Amino acid sequence: MNKVTLMGRLVRDPELRYTTVNNVPVCSFTLAVDKYVKQGEEKQADFIPCIAWQKLAETISNYLEKGRRIVIHGRIQTRSWDDNEGKKHWVTEVVADEMHFADDKKKGDNQSQYQGQPQSGDNPPWMNSDEDLDLPF
């Protein structure tokens, strides 16, 4: 089963784009997720690339900013693409299906939550056709 839950802070503001063929919203963002360290050791983090599609992509783009702590639920995906020079690139990322606020933007408490609605039954655009999505991220 491919299921992922991450809690972390956005490294930078989310980037919203639209696919060139069907104008489907896609948002890319990176989460800094704390690693477990022994007491007294310096904090460390993993930087996890994530994407979201459709309504969740627009919600993330509209309501989140650098430094905001969130929880996402989704799945790991590996994909590849060829750049303009014909060089193949690979990326492993988390495709978010749900998002929850993990802190309040102004107060820093854990009271505020938003659950994005997974598009159950709706496949991401790359699973529905063979068209080029032009997603070099």
Side-chain angles (χ1 to χ4, degrees):
M1 179 180 300
N2 184 352
K3 188 79 171 164
V4 175
T5 299
L6 297 172
M7 180 168 62
R9 294 193 182 275
L10 272 74
V11 172
R12 65 184 72 77
D13 289 343
E15 183 180 335
L16 181 66
R17 292 187 298 276
Y18 295 86
T19 60
T20 55
V21 177
N22 293 326
N23 208 33
V24 177
V26 57
C27 182
S28 57
F29 55 99
T30 301
L31 282 183
V33 179
D34 290 340
K35 290 182 182 182
Y36 175 78
V37 293
K38 295 178 183 176
Q39 188 172 358
E41 290 183 1
E42 186 175 336
K43 285 187 176 182
Q44 298 177 4
D46 287 315
F47 297 91
I48 312 292
C50 305
I51 62 170
W53 291 89
Q54 300 179 356
K55 289 182 182 182
L56 184 57
E58 292 175 330
T59 299
I60 288 171
S61 175
N62 289 333
Y63 294 100
L64 298 180
E65 59 193 13
K66 178 181 176 179
R68 189 75 189 263
R69 189 169 57 154
I70 62 170
V71 174
I72 61 167
H73 303 286
R75 61 185 169 79
I76 295 175
Q77 142 181 303
T78 301
R79 62 183 175 84
S80 65
W81 73 94
D82 294 326
D83 65 17
N84 294 338
E85 298 172 358
K87 184 176 179 184
K88 189 167 216 83
H89 297 268
W90 292 86
V91 67
T92 301
E93 60 202 353
V94 174
V95 179
D97 296 323
E98 295 179 35
M99 182 272 299
H100 303 268
F101 294 118
D103 62 6
D104 185 72
K105 185 176 176 181
K106 294 179 183 166
K107 297 179 185 175
D109 64 20
N110 292 330
Q111 300 300 316
S112 179
Q113 288 190 13
Y114 171 82
Q115 179 175 344
Q117 298 300 317
Q119 303 296 316
S120 58
D122 290 347
N123 287 329
W126 67 87
M127 295 178 78
N128 295 330
S129 69
D130 294 324
E131 56 198 28
D132 179 21
L133 296 177
D134 190 30
L135 298 174
F137 52 80

